[in-house]
Amino acid sequence: MSQPFDAIKKKEEALLCRTYGRYPLAIVRGKGAHLWDVDGKEYVDLLAGIAVTGLGHCNDEVCEALEKQCRKLWHVSNLFYQEEQLHLAELLLSTAHFGKVFFCNSGAEANEACIKLARRYMSVVKKRNAAEIITLEGCFHGRTLGTLAATGRENLSRGFTPLPEGFSQVPFEDLGALENAITPATAAVMLEVVQGEGGIKPLAADYLAGVQKLCREKDILFICDEVQAGICRTGKFWAFQLHDLKPDIISMAKSLANGLPMGAMLATDEVARGFETGSHATTFGGNALASAVAAKTIEILLRDKLAERAAKLGTDFKEKLIAMQKRLPGKIQEVRGVGLMIGIEIGESCPAVWKELIDQGFICSLSHNTTLRLLPPLNIDEADLNAFAATLEGILKK
Ligand SMILES: *Cc1c(COP(=O)(O)O)cnc(C)c1O
């Protein structure tokens, strides 16, 4: 039996490191796009565990795959060949132009793999002294020391210095600044095609094309962090496919195994030459259980054409929100996003609106205290999205 919310909150404060500012909710159960708290109250979940449960909570087919695999094999380490990994690798490689996969356990680790591969490719294959990674202002690449350095936000790295060297940042969507920042010491440019933690900011198509062209001209690597925007969320399998880009390396995690912790890096055959036996490793990465669950997740996403669904649903929903913006002058500053990755900028009243949404049974995230961030499961019912829109309109009208 669950304890009352206040008791849970108090216990959490006593037991866990003070790293999270939590929502005033203790969740006990989930199904599809719906969650239930300790008091039995039901919510529509438009956050999906921060873009993780793309197929919804406790998806029947994914549960079945997990149950089957958990009686067969969980973990033996990467000292052994495991067909589960190979099946998942084939599925992931079928989605784009890459040739090789490296499995790990989280988004930060997937980005660490990208950074390490880029540096080692430059050093070992190109025989160049080029280790610097350039990222964009407003980006988010993770919380390990390396990815914190890549993220370059003072408020996140305070008290954790010194961070690893070899990272620099350029202003958002400023191609001239990027060109000036590239030197013979540059290994790669790394970016999110749609900045997620930055508040749902899609990068412009011509800027992205310009970045890729610069990378080719300067013979440096182009890395896309697909941890949040990847795996069908934006309406294409990968966000870079919205703009016909061909990055050399990408990272993924969040929705890869629909809630089991898992990450991966994909690289072209050429760039993957940077790794050899012993150059990088992780104990858990791609274990049989996580791989089997991820493979089932990817199979369902492809079979049910959930990228196309995210595109269609997202376009319709965004139109609805923009119509609402017109009906309620001054209440909504901007509606941004692609597919089912949507930001509604509301300004200073946003925290109150967000809290009222929770009280009325709708969960989304509050980004920078100004923007509602929606990352719903890709198979969410249109009725749930419409109910959210109607509730939001009611709140904004008040
Ligand atoms: C969440 C996120 C990460 C970090 O992923 P973790 O699994 O939390 O380490 C990295 N990049 C992007 C774009 C993300 O959204």
Side-chain angles (χ1 to χ4, degrees):
M1 260 322 278
S2 292
Q3 310 167 51
F5 174 74
D6 288 339
I8 293 171
K9 181 166 184 280
K10 228 171 139 187
K11 213 165 173 180
E12 192 269 353
E13 282 162 9
L15 297 176
L16 304 189
C17 279
R18 307 250 47 76
T19 54
Y20 300 107
R22 293 186 196 266
Y23 294 177
L25 294 177
I27 302 298
V28 294
R29 190 162 66 85
K31 187 70 198 166
H34 294 245
L35 289 171
W36 286 265
D37 72 10
V38 277
D39 299 318
K41 183 174 165 185
E42 184 174 347
Y43 299 84
V44 177
D45 179 14
L46 297 128
L47 182 55
I50 320 183
V52 167
T53 53
L55 297 176
H57 299 285
C58 302
N59 177 283
D60 286 331
E61 286 177 282
V62 178
C63 285
E64 212 172 283
L66 181 130
E67 281 158 7
K68 207 168 133 207
Q69 185 63 38
C70 87
R71 302 282 168 200
K72 190 170 171 234
L73 185 71
W74 289 35
H75 180 91
V76 289
S77 89
N78 284 306
L79 296 171
F80 298 87
Y81 297 98
Q82 294 147 77
E83 284 189 284
E84 290 85 357
Q85 292 186 344
L86 307 183
H87 178 47
L88 174 59
E90 280 173 339
L91 283 166
L92 289 173
L93 293 173
S94 76
T95 62
H97 59 281
F98 302 102
K100 293 279 189 286
V101 185
F102 177 83
F103 291 119
C104 54
N105 314 288
S106 69
E109 260 186 280
N111 285 331
E112 290 277 346
C114 295
I115 294 162
K116 286 181 77 175
L117 178 61
R119 286 183 170 179
R120 207 166 189 286
Y121 172 74
M122 284 298 171
S123 160
V124 172
V125 179
K126 292 279 199 176
K127 315 237 182 283
R128 269 162 55 186
N129 189 8
E132 304 241 339
I133 312 288
I134 300 175
T135 61
L136 265 56
E137 279 173 11
C139 72
F140 181 80
H141 298 300
R143 300 280 201 144
T144 59
L145 291 172
T147 56
L148 264 184
T151 297
R153 280 196 219 167
E154 222 271 305
N155 61 328
L156 302 185
S157 55
R158 197 172 305 135
F160 296 124
T161 53
L163 298 183
E165 292 171 13
F167 296 88
S168 65
Q169 283 203 317
V170 290
F172 187 80
E173 282 189 348
D174 184 340
L175 209 53
L178 177 62
E179 184 159 16
N180 289 335
I182 296 172
T183 71
T186 306
V189 176
M190 178 157 86
L191 55 77
E192 300 160 82
V193 171
V194 183
Q195 287 189 342
E197 301 303 306
I200 311 290
K201 293 197 178 142
L203 303 193
D206 56 348
Y207 174 76
L208 288 163
V211 173
Q212 178 170 281
K213 189 158 165 276
L214 263 179
C215 289
R216 301 288 182 256
E217 281 168 12
K218 308 272 184 180
D219 198 18
I220 58 172
L221 299 179
F222 180 34
I223 304 173
C224 290
D225 176 342
E226 293 268 350
V227 171
Q228 188 162 151
I231 314 190
C232 302
R233 179 151 296 279
T234 64
K236 296 283 184 186
F237 200 95
W238 304 110
F240 70 78
Q241 291 168 334
L242 290 166
H243 307 290
D244 293 321
L245 300 169
K246 284 216 160 148
D248 302 289
I249 316 176
I250 63 169
S251 56
M252 72 208 64
K254 290 198 162 80
S255 69
L256 178 54
N258 207 52
L260 276 198
M262 189 178 209
M265 179 203 73
L266 303 187
T268 60
D269 276 315
E270 165 60 21
V271 174
R273 291 167 61 209
F275 278 168
E276 60 205 294
T277 302
S279 38
H280 191 42
T282 153
T283 300
F284 289 118
N287 83 12
L289 188 65
S291 291
V293 170
K296 178 53 78 175
T297 301
I298 303 297
E299 278 171 8
I300 296 169
L301 288 163
L302 291 169
R303 180 197 68 195
D304 295 350
K305 300 194 173 6
L306 288 176
E308 286 92 324
R309 186 172 194 276
K312 169 85 174 68
L313 222 56
T315 304
D316 294 351
F317 188 50
K318 226 173 104 179
E319 266 172 27
K320 221 167 241 154
L321 293 170
I322 288 166
M324 188 195 303
Q325 182 186 21
K326 289 191 180 126
R327 279 196 301 278
L328 303 172
K331 298 282 189 183
I332 297 177
Q333 267 109 67
E334 194 182 7
V335 179
R336 296 187 290 269
V338 204
L340 287 175
M341 190 172 182
I342 292 177
I344 309 170
E345 193 171 327
I346 288 181
E348 64 178 19
S349 66
C350 200
V353 172
W354 169 81
K355 179 64 173 55
E356 182 65 27
L357 280 165
I358 289 183
D359 291 343
Q360 297 199 32
F362 293 88
I363 295 172
C364 60
S365 91
L366 178 59
S367 185
H368 300 266
N369 274 332
T370 58
T371 303
L372 300 175
R373 182 166 57 142
L374 309 183
L375 301 160
L378 307 179
N379 55 5
I380 190 171
D381 280 344
E382 203 169 353
D384 282 333
L385 291 177
N386 291 342
F388 167 86
T391 305
L392 176 64
E393 182 152 13
I395 294 168
L396 292 176
K397 264 187 188 156
K398 274 200 282 191

